[in-house]
Amino acid sequence: MARDVFAYIGEPDQLMSVREARLLGGRQDGVRMIQLDNGGALECTILPGRAMDLYQVRYKGANLNYIAPCGIVAPAYYDARGTEWLRSFYVGFLTTCGLQHIGSPAEIAGEVRGLHGREANCPAEDVRVTRDRAGDSMELTVEGTMREARIFGENLRLHRTYTFSYGEDAFTLTDTVTNHGFGARPFLLSYHINFGYPLLCEDTEILLDSLGVEPRDAHAAQEISRWREIKPPTYPYQECCYFHELAEDAQGRSGYTIYNPRRHIGVRVSWKHADLPCFCQWKMLGKGEYVLGMEPLNAPLDGKKIGEEGCTAPVLQPGESKTYTLYFTFIEEL
């Protein structure tokens, strides 16, 4: 018989706890943070001060993602020039790239665009945390909106919602991008999902149904037969990027699993293939820079950019919205 857990508690924190804070000290000073646990084996740190991205995810107490030496950096320090974006790229479990540029820096029609765009450094507004009954259990949602807008240019908003259910080691991320301008506006979106130690090590398995793989450059081409291999950290290490054509399942979804059989921890990620048809794998296995990025995108990373002829970025008409949903499940066994 189903148990009404609410008969056993006096406060929702007994099931799913949430703590909100602002960070102090150094370049993280003032960044808003939300820490939560799902009442099971999952703990997440969300940064409304940095695009509602995920700074850290822990499963069964184990960290799952890489964190860069710069740590959390407030958006006031963002520098759009060239690759200066890297000085505030803490990496984390999720960094959102876009909405008007992804990939390498470029100059297009006289406008200089830095690495991976501005979205990751946009603080959220209208942030809300809600815990509600869901039948005999509880559901927790965290939501907020990022504004990427300027006069004489884009007027886009990205509304993000995370949804957790009590005791279920999973969550759903739902993003809705809306064009608040009066003209058609293309947009680019990359989910820079990043895995690190102890999930990531030489024991780690990559389960990815790839129909075809292309190297990004000559160095990656030399290593292409080993794109699934995760080796111990070395120094120096030259990063490798691969572009995959992913298969779809019967529901039209694509995805992958990252699993460590020695530690019995892993993550499954999936999404609707038609929404995010492109995929980039980033291997950076250097000492102190040990990370695997597995990144679905709505357009090719190295394709034509917004403002260039042949750009394949989706286009939103005035008032139009587009919604993306990603599903994350955390596992002990395959």
Side-chain angles (χ1 to χ4, degrees):
M1 184 176 73
R3 174 177 292 173
D4 180 2
V5 297
F6 291 92
Y8 292 80
I9 68 170
E11 214 285 333
D13 265 4
Q14 289 184 242
L15 302 182
M16 306 176 80
S17 67
V18 182
R19 295 289 181 270
E20 298 187 58
R22 290 191 185 275
L23 298 171
L24 298 175
R27 299 207 306 162
Q28 69 178 0
D29 199 272
V31 174
R32 188 174 179 181
M33 177 178 68
I34 297 174
Q35 290 186 314
L36 62 91
D37 75 66
N38 71 330
L42 193 61
E43 301 170 77
C44 298
T45 302
I46 299 169
L47 297 181
R50 288 290 305 271
M52 299 291 294
D53 280 337
L54 282 157
Y55 172 69
Q56 188 172 43
V57 175
R58 290 182 175 271
Y59 175 58
K60 299 199 303 181
N63 173 73
L64 302 184
N65 57 270
Y66 175 74
I67 298 172
C70 65
I72 298 172
V73 178
Y77 294 98
Y78 171 57
D79 188 337
R81 298 173 299 173
T83 60
E84 290 297 298
W85 182 85
L86 294 172
R87 296 190 180 276
S88 59
F89 180 39
Y90 58 79
V91 185
F93 189 86
L94 170 65
T95 293
T96 307
C97 303
L99 292 171
Q100 292 295 280
H101 189 73
I102 57 175
S104 300
E107 183 173 344
I108 301 168
E111 180 183 3
V112 177
R113 300 181 190 170
L115 178 66
H116 281 320
R118 297 177 174 274
E119 190 63 21
N121 285 275
C122 291
E125 53 193 88
D126 300 327
V127 176
R128 185 171 67 168
V129 179
T130 306
R131 287 176 290 186
D132 289 322
R133 293 187 66 145
D136 291 331
S137 190
M138 176 177 284
E139 186 173 271
L140 184 152
T141 61
V142 182
E143 59 187 308
T145 302
M146 282 66 68
R147 186 194 311 228
E148 192 165 333
R150 57 177 174 163
I151 194 169
F152 308 135
E154 69 275 7
N155 187 1
L156 298 171
R157 298 194 188 181
L158 188 158
H159 182 79
R160 173 164 293 173
T161 302
Y162 294 97
T163 304
F164 301 80
S165 295
Y166 170 59
E168 295 183 16
D169 294 326
F171 65 83
T172 301
L173 182 157
T174 303
D175 280 348
T176 299
V177 182
T178 303
N179 179 10
H180 287 266
F182 291 90
R185 174 61 57 175
F187 70 100
L188 294 161
L189 187 57
S190 170
Y191 292 93
H192 210 303
I193 303 167
N194 312 289
F195 303 98
Y197 184 83
L199 170 62
L200 185 71
C201 66
E202 50 270 34
D203 301 314
T204 302
E205 299 174 5
I206 302 173
L207 288 80
L208 179 72
D209 192 356
S210 176
L211 302 177
V213 56
E214 295 290 336
R216 190 181 193 190
D217 55 26
H219 171 68
Q222 294 174 354
E223 299 287 322
I224 194 167
S225 65
R226 294 179 288 276
W227 66 262
R228 291 185 189 270
E229 292 183 15
I230 304 297
K231 297 181 179 180
T234 58
Y235 184 87
Y237 183 92
Q238 185 175 341
E239 65 180 0
C240 293
C241 284
Y242 300 100
F243 302 127
H244 293 269
E245 179 186 354
L246 298 190
E248 301 177 54
D249 66 15
Q251 289 73 46
R253 289 189 188 181
S254 292
Y256 58 84
T257 299
I258 307 299
Y259 183 67
N260 187 316
R262 184 181 295 272
R263 294 182 177 272
H264 297 285
I265 53 175
V267 186
R268 290 190 178 122
V269 186
S270 65
W271 59 89
K272 186 177 178 182
H273 180 85
D275 290 341
L276 299 165
C278 302
F279 188 83
C280 177
Q281 176 195 8
W282 171 46
K283 281 177 65 176
M284 181 60 225
L285 305 181
K287 290 185 177 180
E289 297 176 336
Y290 195 74
V291 55
L292 173 70
M294 302 288 278
E295 310 162 27
L297 311 92
N298 71 350
L301 181 69
D302 286 345
K304 296 294 184 180
K305 307 304 182 187
I306 291 173
E308 294 181 325
E309 186 176 352
C311 178
T312 59
V315 176
L316 293 173
Q317 298 301 318
E320 186 180 9
S321 297
K322 171 65 179 176
T323 296
Y324 297 87
T325 303
L326 286 83
Y327 305 90
F328 297 82
T329 304
F330 301 85
I331 58 174
E332 291 183 319
E333 302 291 342
L334 290 175

